Amino acid sequence: MSQPALQPVPRVGLVGWRGMVGSVLMQRMSEERDFDAIETTFFSTSTAGKPAPKITGCKVFDPILRDGNDVNALKTMDIIITCQGGDYTKAIYKPLREAGWKGHWIDASKILRMDDDAIIILDPINMPVIKTALSKGISNWIGGNCTVSCMLMGVGALYKAGLVEWMQTSTYQAASGGGAPNMRELLVQYGALYAEVKDLLDDPASAILEIDRKVTAKQRAFTPEETTNFRGIPLGGNLIPWIDADRGDGTSLEEWKGGAETNKIMGLGSMFGTPEIPIDSTCVRIGSMRCHSQSLTFKLKKDVPLADIEDMIKNDNPWAKFVPNERVATETQLTAKNVAGTMNIPVGRVRKLAMGPEYLGTFTIGDQLLWGAAEPLRRMLRIIQGDIA
Ligand code: HSE
């Protein structure tokens, strides 16, 4: 398998640039001047023929939106980046390859993630895996599950060092993981709950149990229209300890991804001829906007001094930020409010656990739209161009 040599200025087709992940990607590509060294063509599955968007720093090669379902138009691209979603990948990827297209396919959706000829990209953590694949002619580069990517950006050092015997995670996942409508629905519910008890809140003499009773009654009275995005369950003032499909074995699809994708990213498992590290998760949706948090328990293969573990986390990559295991540092740095919209991946609550010196607890948080979705895609473009080594 081999790819054609890349043009000095590659032609890059962008699909799904208007949605939430796509918009974050466009913003990051502008900030990092990724458009300077590419010829960009924007594709659309709904408004082909309309003018291409004006995105800061992007001098479009093609002023017209091309049809995202037109395989012949897509075939002229050296690289395609899609945030259009799984249905698009299912419909277009195969016909495009069958038509003889040999370009690089960079995809935010999960559809191809576990395929043998696809790599899950998270280069600060798995650059050796990416480089080996590039040298073998692999050309499918798929963004990982947001929870997995944010976790590995924080504690990938422990995996790289081969220290992890097993890991268990309990997640606290933001509404954005469900999509933009889920975030809107959450805020509308918060507003409705507040409105329900505003008069009582304004009265300092009102009873808190009466306020609580009214809030709970309101949650239970939300209509199907007010709760469409989380399958009829209100997230406002609530939590939902199940994310994604029921696999029928007591785990959710999101939980399965935790183990399968972490191993694949690290180059472990049957695809690489090595044993997998056991990883188990309980994935929970909570009412925050765009940051996924996780409480991690590790069993390490040996007793490593805490100071060494802290140094490994600090030195692994420029975005992992070690947070001292103290109250004020944790309250001010290890929160969604602090991290949303930033590239930082704080890692804190790092401590040995009561079960023994090989047991390690940590807590980490990341913006699931940045490292969890858009950032690995734009970095893969730069890796292909030789700009990130
Ligand atoms: N599946 C994730 C979530 C988002 O629902 O939070 C995409 O990786």
Side-chain angles (χ1 to χ4, degrees):
M1 209 196 303
S2 72
Q3 296 126 3
L6 204 61
Q7 304 296 322
V9 181
R11 302 186 69 179
V12 178
L14 296 173
V15 197
W17 42 273
R18 216 184 325 234
M20 183 161 62
V21 171
S23 300
V24 173
L25 177 65
M26 294 303 98
Q27 188 188 340
R28 285 293 299 143
M29 289 181 72
S30 295
E31 286 167 7
E32 298 295 335
R33 306 198 62 139
D34 295 336
F35 291 111
D36 288 5
I38 59 176
E39 284 180 351
T40 309
T41 299
F42 288 91
F43 286 83
S44 169
T45 53
S46 55
T47 56
K50 294 262 176 5
K54 293 193 182 4
I55 287 174
T56 312
C58 175
K59 294 175 284 302
V60 285
F61 175 69
D62 196 331
I64 299 297
L65 281 175
R66 296 293 157 192
D67 182 357
N69 292 313
D70 180 351
V71 167
N72 286 327
L74 292 165
K75 259 180 78 177
T76 62
M77 299 294 119
D78 299 305
I79 299 169
I80 293 170
I81 307 180
T82 169
C83 300
Q84 182 71 20
D87 288 345
Y88 178 76
T89 300
K90 274 189 208 157
I92 289 298
Y93 171 77
K94 210 158 163 259
L96 186 58
R97 289 293 189 208
E98 281 169 359
W101 184 67
K102 295 210 163 32
H104 291 278
W105 176 265
I106 304 177
D107 192 341
S109 87
K110 68 182 176 201
I111 301 302
L112 305 175
R113 255 183 222 156
M114 298 309 290
D115 288 6
D116 284 352
D117 62 354
I119 294 297
I120 305 180
I121 45 176
L122 191 65
D123 66 273
I125 304 303
N126 72 344
M127 192 58 137
V129 174
I130 292 171
K131 281 191 171 165
T132 303
L134 265 174
S135 72
K136 288 183 177 164
I138 294 277
S139 53
N140 296 328
W141 312 104
I142 319 298
N145 170 264
C146 45
T147 317
V148 172
S149 296
C150 289
M151 178 275 290
L152 280 175
M153 285 300 295
V155 298
L158 302 177
Y159 283 93
K160 287 181 192 174
L163 278 174
V164 181
E165 185 173 319
W166 54 252
M167 185 187 84
Q168 197 280 335
T169 168
S170 298
T171 72
Y172 307 77
Q173 295 184 222
S176 58
N182 303 55
M183 299 166 80
R184 301 177 81 98
E185 183 174 282
L186 172 66
L187 292 175
V188 170
Q189 290 170 358
Y190 278 145
L193 295 174
Y194 174 69
E196 190 73 5
V197 292
K198 181 182 182 315
D199 291 347
L200 287 173
L201 285 171
D202 289 344
D203 173 6
S206 65
I208 191 62
L209 290 181
E210 174 62 4
I211 292 173
D212 178 62
R213 191 193 61 74
K214 289 192 79 154
V215 165
T216 304
K218 178 67 185 168
Q219 280 179 322
R220 290 176 180 161
F222 278 129
T223 63
E225 293 70 36
E226 291 170 304
T227 54
T228 46
N229 290 293
F230 288 107
R231 298 165 48 82
I233 313 299
L235 186 62
N238 196 14
L239 56 78
I240 309 172
W242 198 284
I243 295 177
D244 211 333
D246 186 340
R247 300 184 70 245
D249 63 356
T251 64
S252 69
L253 187 57
E254 187 79 355
E255 291 159 357
W256 175 82
K257 288 177 191 168
E261 293 192 21
T262 301
N263 277 289
K264 182 165 177 179
I265 289 171
M266 297 315 303
L268 299 169
S270 55
M271 186 174 158
F272 303 91
T274 51
E276 288 202 351
I277 295 173
I279 293 169
D280 216 318
S281 317
T282 302
C283 292
V284 183
R285 186 77 67 195
I286 57 142
S288 77
M289 287 294 275
R290 57 185 281 180
C291 287
H292 282 8
S293 309
Q294 310 184 51
S295 172
L296 307 166
T297 299
F298 290 95
K299 169 118 192 278
L300 301 179
K301 289 183 182 163
K302 57 183 184 187
D303 175 9
V304 182
L306 207 49
D308 293 2
I309 290 169
E310 292 176 3
D311 283 345
M312 288 167 67
I313 292 168
K314 283 177 198 162
N315 297 325
D316 185 59
N317 67 69
W319 301 276
K321 305 290 179 199
F322 176 76
V323 179
N325 187 22
E326 298 159 0
R327 180 173 184 173
V328 174
T330 301
E331 288 173 341
T332 54
Q333 296 172 49
L334 206 56
T335 60
K337 183 214 82 177
N338 191 53
V339 174
T342 78
M343 301 289 293
N344 294 338
I345 305 281
V347 185
R349 304 309 322 272
V350 178
R351 66 202 189 281
K352 295 295 181 86
L353 301 179
M355 291 76 100
E358 299 92 15
Y359 292 84
L360 181 78
T362 68
F363 191 97
T364 183
I365 181 166
D367 185 316
Q368 69 95 211
L369 297 173
L370 285 164
W371 277 115
E375 191 66 9
L377 308 183
R378 62 154 292 274
R379 288 178 66 87
M380 191 63 219
L381 171 67
R382 301 298 287 255
I383 292 167
I384 292 168
Q385 293 174 283
D387 298 334
I388 297 177

